[in-house]
Amino acid sequence: MSKSKIQISKQKFLVLSFALCALSFTLDCFARDVNFEITVGRHKVSLGEPLELNLTFSDTQNMPALQLPPLEGFQLRYLGPSTRMSIVNGKVSSSITHVYTLLPTKEGIFKIGPFKLEYNNDNYSSNSIDIEVVKGPVQGAPSESQQGSEAQDLSDRIFLRVQAQKNKIYLNENVPVTAKLYVNRLGVRDIEYPQLIHEGMSLAGFDQPKQYRDVINGVGYDVIEFNTNMFGVRPGEFRLGPATLKCNLIVRKEPQGGTSSSFDDFFGSDFFNNFFGRYETYPLNLKSPDIPITVLALPEENRPQDFSGAIGDFDMEVSLAPEEVKVADPVTLKVIIKGEGNFNTVNPPEIKSDRNFKVYEPQAKQEKGRKIFEQILLPMNAAVKELPALYFSFFDPKTAQYRTLTKGPFALKVLKPEKEEELKIIESTRPGMPAFEEKLGRDIVYIKDSLGGLRKKGEFVYKNKMFLWLQMFPLLVFLLLFGFHARSEKLRTDIRYARQLKAPGKAKQGLNKAKGYLGAGKTREFYDTVFQTLQEYLGDKFHFASQSITISIVDDNLKGKSYPPQVLDQLRSVFSDCDMARFAASEFSRADREKTLKNLQEVIDYFQRNKVL
Amino acid sequence: MRKKKSKLNQWVLAVFLAGSCALSCISVAQAQENSELRKLFIEANFAYKDSRYEEAAAQYEKILKKGYENGNLYYNLANSYFKKGDLGKTVLYYERAMFFMPYDSDLKSNYDYVRSLLNLGLPEIPGSRFQRWIDRLFAGVSINGLAYFLSFLYMAAMAILSLNLFLKRFRRFSMPILILLGLLFLPAALSLNRKIDTFNNAAVVISKLADVKFEPFETATTFFKLPEGSIVEILGKTGNGYKIKRSDGKLGWISASSVEAIKE
């Protein structure tokens, strides 16, 4: 795609975007009331020193420039329009300002305005302002070289103020508190809720802020107002604030390197870079001065007995329904305390249970400007004719006096129940107990006389090492028993294993017996024992029937396996010695017998040390 | 040989005597300290009877400072604070006593009464429905009681498994018994875990009305307020503030001076 085609596409996109924005602003304008005001940079100027006059229409950006009449004492020149848009807490506000230059031509005090405009069948009227023109220089007036400078004193154009409705308040008295952010012709965004130091006082959260215009000393400000309430929690002298508020200031920067008309920039290929590069945000942390607050204790003088801390200006409404009931049927008493004040301190008039009424705890519901209490009462006998008068005492901070509101007594007709019903409602009483509802006192049970067993702090048994180690013991016992049981089972079911296990023990017994015969010189018995021992050992070790084992086992079963030939020879030698000794025992000397025994021992040792194949 | 044996016997005797001496010294020292603590307790009780509640509380706290505790001590201390009018500390010490003797009817009665005075109602137990059911099931059992109970269940299971190995006739009964033991063990273990968690992390609001803020700064916006005696869970600490969680799950920061942890 060629460069020119890209430029044309960009231009079309920009025009479309601009048209959509303009349309939305126009629609926005119709949805609201437009405010028209005039402001000047300063009210006192020197003769011949130009002065800026701004005609500002709020909540619209579609207002033509006025054709102003000639102004006495000034020459007038129109510079052009300036539009502005801000977004605070999601609410969009916009304005258009037509800027004129006034050049004072003579000394004196002149009145500018009010101006009137008729546009689209609507009439708009502005305020008026006074300007003083003097001969000499005006102190503090910015010089020409300073006017275009960026080093401006922001504290005159954006500042925060806190005020309370009253500076002397009573304890728990609810007082409105306002924090106001003033902004003069600056772009501001990301405005946070103010934070307020409130030692000695309790502060509720801030409500949704309000936005409006205000003029202070002829200077117009956009005002954002935050409202809340506070009340003092203890008597004394305190300082409310300072309040701090964070926001971002949007500052327009001039493009670098030469001047160019705004139309060239708008339709040029560098539009995007220039547009987004012209604005920068600076974080601001505004701080308001603090204000003194005195919290006064409520006076002791003339304090009513039933006063329970309510403070404000209240009225009371009481209703009782129904007005005709049977004994022990419920009656609803509704008490509405309404007015202005701290509803956290408002409690309902006290009604105590007695022989005439059983009283339940009231339920409270808080609404804006009033608090509703509903309480159930049960008339306990037909002699009840009325509910006695109710009293509500409170302290009125405006008059600094205690007041007591009285309502009632309230007529109540209590009917006797039907005879069947009488049986139902009479409560069963134990002998000696009073028939009416007994009111029991309530307090804490007495202390413990005995200290009991003490222990070190934090020493719970689950942390005790001895206790934890003790838990291992049953597991160890179980594992031991399990191992023992498994071995017993194996010995019982695996005969081969059992025989192999018993083989060395039996062989040892046989060898010891043979040694005994050797020492005693009993040749026949010796060789019989050797033969039997060898038979049983080989039978157990190789899982053969012991009685069937002869010398042939060497060649039939053992030769093929990788046993050393020396061991097999020793085995053959023992077998042949035993066979020969059966017939010619006397031919064997002691040395021969010892050799036989030694061979047998070595064969057994070999098979014990090495795995049976 | 005989000489060697007699020497060995002498050594054994010497070690035995030395060990016995040491043990008896420790016992004597322990008994002495115990009697001092009991003396403090009795003095505190006398002060309470004479309505010198400040003095009674101070004496009870001396025992605590020596590093000892039990349910009766916390109970009496709570009663003293109640008489002094400090309901926040009353709730704190009743809560501590609950970990030692949750079955004590006097303690339950006093605790319910104090909560009613503070309009707090029953303490809200955080957790799922199952967890709250488990808490109610073992509400009257202390931490030590649960530990012993779990140990007993475990040992019974080991004994049954051991008997199972050798007694064939027993085997048909062993499985249902083991299942029953398991069904008791699991909730008891969960309850013990929750009680230990609560003991380690719970705290009581001791100031009249505490601000709970969004951030741990004095100038931060207040999120909600907690009345005296409210129970919260401590999640963390920074500087002079605790991060806490209310029973309905709301989180916030509270000043360390407004709240005291149940675990000292």
Side-chain angles (χ1 to χ4, degrees):
Chain A
M1 214 185 204
S2 67
K3 206 178 175 183
S4 58
K5 279 188 181 175
I6 293 168
Q7 277 189 347
I8 291 166
S9 318
K10 265 193 180 171
Q11 284 172 16
K12 281 183 184 171
F13 173 76
L14 290 170
V15 167
L16 189 62
S17 310
F18 183 75
L20 282 170
C21 284
L23 181 66
S24 66
F25 291 146
T26 310
L27 290 171
D28 192 51
C29 159
F30 281 127
R32 300 181 194 170
D33 291 331
V34 174
N35 194 35
F36 174 30
E37 70 171 339
I38 60 171
T39 54
V40 288
R42 45 194 193 285
H43 292 267
K44 194 173 179 180
V45 293
S46 300
L47 195 60
E49 192 185 337
L51 171 73
E52 201 178 81
L53 170 70
N54 299 310
L55 272 61
T56 304
F57 295 89
S58 311
D59 291 325
T60 180
Q61 289 194 338
N62 182 31
M63 205 58 82
L66 273 81
Q67 203 61 32
L68 293 179
L71 300 174
E72 191 196 9
F74 295 96
Q75 277 184 9
L76 187 69
R77 187 163 69 93
Y78 178 59
L79 290 182
S82 161
T83 57
R84 195 173 62 81
M85 185 177 71
S86 72
I87 302 168
V88 175
N89 294 325
K91 196 180 167 194
V92 177
S93 60
S94 56
S95 64
I96 179 168
T97 302
H98 293 286
V99 184
Y100 300 79
T101 299
L102 295 178
L103 187 69
T105 53
K106 54 183 185 181
E107 292 174 59
I109 296 176
F110 305 96
K111 185 176 175 181
I112 309 289
F115 299 123
K116 291 188 193 322
L117 170 70
E118 191 192 324
Y119 180 68
N120 279 351
N121 297 323
D122 285 321
N123 291 309
Y124 305 97
S125 180
S126 78
N127 54 316
S128 64
I129 46 175
D130 292 331
I131 297 173
E132 187 184 350
V133 181
V134 297
K135 206 173 184 181
V138 172
Q139 212 172 19
S143 63
E144 262 184 72
S145 60
Q146 283 176 353
Q147 273 175 5
S149 162
E150 282 191 353
Q152 298 161 2
D153 187 358
L154 271 178
S155 60
D156 293 328
R157 297 181 70 182
I158 180 166
F159 52 88
L160 183 67
R161 292 288 178 267
V162 160
Q163 58 200 72
Q165 196 185 59
K166 311 193 322 186
N167 291 84
K168 274 196 180 158
I169 60 175
Y170 283 97
L171 187 67
N172 289 328
E173 184 188 347
N174 225 18
V175 168
V177 169
T178 306
K180 291 185 188 176
L181 172 67
Y182 292 87
V183 182
N184 167 244
R185 297 181 60 231
L186 288 172
V188 179
R189 54 182 270 188
D190 305 326
I191 299 170
E192 295 184 6
Y193 277 88
Q195 305 288 324
L196 198 54
I197 297 174
H198 54 93
E199 194 212 328
M201 286 160 279
S202 177
L203 207 70
F206 282 103
D207 298 332
Q208 271 293 99
K210 291 190 272 192
Q211 228 179 319
Y212 52 87
R213 290 277 298 175
D214 195 7
V215 176
I216 300 174
N217 297 328
V219 179
Y221 291 94
D222 288 313
V223 182
I224 298 165
E225 185 179 298
F226 301 88
N227 290 303
T228 183
N229 289 303
M230 73 166 183
F231 60 88
V233 296
R234 57 179 190 273
E237 303 280 339
F238 304 100
R239 306 289 300 182
L240 180 65
T244 54
L245 184 143
K246 288 181 185 168
C247 60
N248 284 328
L249 183 68
I250 305 168
V251 173
R252 189 178 170 144
K253 292 283 186 189
E254 288 302 321
Q256 289 177 358
T259 57
S260 56
S261 77
S262 57
F263 283 101
D264 288 338
D265 286 339
F266 186 78
F267 288 109
S269 60
D270 293 329
F271 171 77
F272 286 105
N273 294 332
N274 284 348
F275 182 79
F276 287 107
R278 267 192 204 150
Y279 293 91
E280 282 181 337
T281 58
Y282 290 95
L284 279 185
N285 196 358
L286 302 169
K287 194 170 170 181
S288 77
D290 55 13
I291 53 173
I293 300 284
T294 304
V295 180
L296 305 165
L298 295 179
E300 295 286 337
E301 237 178 77
N302 301 325
R303 184 182 288 198
Q305 258 192 338
D306 67 312
F307 176 70
S308 60
I311 179 164
D313 183 7
F314 301 112
D315 200 359
M316 178 167 71
E317 276 176 20
V318 181
S319 61
L320 195 66
E323 290 175 0
E324 184 175 311
V325 290
K326 291 184 188 161
V327 170
D329 276 355
V331 172
T332 303
L333 175 71
K334 189 170 177 179
V335 176
I336 302 176
I337 307 290
K338 56 187 182 183
E340 282 177 358
N342 189 348
F343 280 96
N344 290 329
T345 59
V346 170
N347 293 308
E350 197 182 349
I351 306 169
K352 291 183 183 169
S353 287
D354 56 21
R355 62 166 66 201
N356 289 331
F357 286 100
K358 182 171 180 178
V359 178
Y360 290 90
E361 287 294 315
Q363 303 292 318
K365 190 168 81 171
Q366 173 96 46
E367 290 175 6
K368 196 174 165 68
R370 64 186 200 162
K371 197 165 180 179
I372 302 166
F373 300 98
E374 284 192 358
Q375 200 165 10
I376 302 294
L377 314 172
L378 302 184
M380 299 311 293
N381 59 74
V384 170
K385 299 288 177 218
E386 64 181 20
L387 176 70
L390 299 178
Y391 303 92
F392 174 70
S393 294
F394 61 93
F395 182 78
D396 186 346
K398 285 181 197 158
T399 59
Q401 302 279 336
Y402 289 97
R403 282 170 47 199
T404 300
L405 304 174
T406 309
K407 294 282 178 183
F410 305 91
L412 184 65
K413 192 171 178 185
V414 181
L415 303 169
K416 274 188 188 168
E418 299 295 333
K419 280 201 176 169
E420 304 89 60
E421 284 174 343
E422 269 184 26
L423 291 168
K424 283 181 199 169
I425 28 170
I426 288 174
E427 292 176 28
S428 62
T429 56
R430 285 173 285 162
M433 292 291 294
F436 58 87
E437 179 73 21
E438 189 180 16
K439 194 179 176 187
L440 301 171
R442 190 82 198 269
D443 200 348
I444 55 170
V445 178
Y446 194 58
I447 52 172
K448 305 286 183 190
D449 280 326
S450 157
L451 179 56
L454 277 171
R455 69 154 203 229
K456 290 268 184 193
K457 270 191 192 173
E459 253 187 23
F460 286 106
V461 80
Y462 73 90
K463 287 187 197 174
N464 189 302
K465 282 182 187 162
M466 182 78 93
F467 177 78
L468 292 171
W469 275 112
L470 199 65
Q471 306 312 305
M472 297 299 295
F473 181 70
L475 183 65
L476 284 170
V477 167
F478 170 70
L479 288 172
L480 276 169
L481 289 172
F482 183 80
F484 177 76
H485 172 74
R487 190 176 162 78
S488 302
E489 277 298 297
K490 191 165 185 187
L491 285 173
R492 189 176 64 83
T493 53
D494 191 344
I495 296 170
R496 183 181 181 134
Y497 174 77
R499 287 182 79 186
Q500 279 186 341
L501 211 61
K502 286 176 193 168
K506 281 163 73 178
K508 193 175 176 187
Q509 279 177 0
L511 284 168
N512 287 340
K513 198 174 173 186
K515 275 181 194 166
Y517 286 132
L518 176 69
K522 294 179 180 175
T523 308
R524 192 178 291 279
E525 288 84 355
F526 169 80
Y527 279 104
D528 285 344
T529 305
V530 163
F531 183 73
Q532 189 185 356
T533 303
L534 185 59
Q535 259 191 331
E536 281 177 0
Y537 180 78
L538 290 175
D540 288 341
K541 205 71 182 168
F542 294 97
H543 198 45
F544 298 135
S546 298
Q547 301 304 319
S548 64
I549 290 176
T550 59
I551 194 170
S552 59
I553 192 178
V554 178
D555 291 315
D556 296 340
N557 297 93
L558 302 182
K559 198 176 174 184
K561 296 182 177 140
S562 51
Y563 293 117
Q566 187 196 349
V567 172
L568 296 178
D569 289 341
Q570 280 176 313
L571 198 54
R572 281 194 202 95
S573 164
V574 172
F575 270 118
S576 61
D577 288 349
C578 289
D579 281 341
M580 278 186 68
R582 227 176 260 128
F583 305 106
S586 57
E587 287 188 20
F588 285 91
S589 64
R590 189 185 168 92
D592 293 331
R593 292 195 293 274
E594 280 173 358
K595 190 182 172 193
T596 305
L597 187 64
K598 187 182 168 214
N599 281 337
L600 176 62
Q601 206 146 5
E602 283 177 4
V603 163
I604 289 171
D605 283 344
Y606 174 81
F607 283 124
Q608 281 304 110
R609 282 196 311 271
N610 297 284
K611 193 178 167 187
V612 167
L613 300 170
Chain B
M1 190 75 156
R2 275 191 186 172
K3 277 188 182 175
K4 276 187 184 172
K5 266 195 175 173
S6 68
K7 259 198 174 173
L8 181 66
N9 287 343
Q10 280 174 6
W11 273 111
V12 167
L13 187 64
V15 167
F16 176 73
L17 282 172
S20 304
C21 274
L23 273 171
S24 54
C25 285
I26 291 168
S27 306
V28 163
Q30 191 71 41
Q32 211 168 358
E33 193 173 21
N34 274 349
S35 85
E36 277 176 24
L37 296 172
R38 280 176 208 289
K39 193 179 157 203
L40 280 171
F41 187 79
I42 291 164
E43 283 171 5
N45 282 4
F46 271 119
Y48 186 96
K49 281 173 190 164
D50 287 343
S51 305
R52 290 178 279 123
Y53 303 117
E54 186 84 42
E55 193 183 319
Q59 292 290 79
Y60 290 131
E61 269 165 358
K62 274 186 191 169
I63 301 175
L64 289 176
K65 276 180 191 153
K66 286 189 183 290
Y68 291 93
E69 61 181 3
N70 73 4
N72 285 1
L73 178 61
Y74 283 129
Y75 173 89
N76 284 12
L77 187 49
N79 273 23
S80 305
Y81 274 110
F82 178 83
K83 292 295 187 187
K84 280 171 61 180
D86 191 341
L87 297 186
K89 289 248 179 175
T90 306
V91 170
L92 173 70
Y93 285 110
Y94 280 142
E95 277 286 338
R96 285 178 178 161
M98 279 286 187
F99 282 97
F100 292 89
M101 46 188 208
Y103 41 81
D104 190 273
S105 56
D106 292 347
L107 171 60
K108 280 173 75 174
S109 169
N110 287 5
Y111 187 48
D112 288 344
Y113 177 54
V114 171
R115 289 194 73 86
S116 72
L117 289 177
L118 291 167
N119 291 323
L120 286 174
L122 286 170
E124 286 176 32
I125 311 163
S128 65
R129 197 181 276 183
F130 176 66
Q131 286 171 327
R132 289 200 296 274
W133 174 76
I134 286 174
D135 288 338
R136 274 193 289 273
L137 192 64
F138 294 101
V141 187
S142 64
I143 289 180
N144 280 353
L146 269 174
Y148 286 128
F149 180 61
L150 285 167
S151 177
F152 167 75
L153 290 175
Y154 155 74
M155 287 191 185
M158 289 291 120
I160 287 168
L161 285 171
S162 301
L163 281 173
N164 229 19
L165 292 171
F166 300 104
L167 298 177
K168 282 185 185 171
R169 283 185 199 175
F170 185 72
R171 281 179 193 172
R172 53 186 169 153
F173 304 111
S174 62
M175 188 51 81
I177 295 173
L178 284 171
I179 290 172
L180 179 66
L181 290 174
L183 287 173
L184 286 171
F185 189 92
L186 187 62
L190 285 172
S191 177
L192 176 64
N193 186 49
R194 277 173 66 76
K195 280 183 190 277
I196 291 170
D197 255 345
T198 306
F199 181 77
N200 288 334
N201 299 325
V204 177
V205 175
I206 55 171
S207 57
K208 290 284 176 208
L209 190 67
D211 286 339
V212 181
K213 297 178 185 280
F214 281 104
E215 293 171 300
F217 310 120
E218 189 55 43
T219 54
T221 306
T222 299
F223 186 12
F224 55 90
K225 291 180 192 293
L226 285 172
E228 193 178 17
S230 301
I231 296 169
V232 294
E233 185 186 343
I234 294 180
L235 300 176
K237 184 179 178 176
T238 181
N240 235 4
Y242 285 119
K243 186 173 183 183
I244 56 111
K245 184 161 100 170
R246 202 167 68 171
S247 55
D248 61 356
K250 284 193 168 62
L251 302 172
W253 291 88
I254 194 169
S255 163
S257 58
S258 299
V259 81
E260 192 166 332
I262 286 175
K263 180 184 177 187
E264 282 197 88

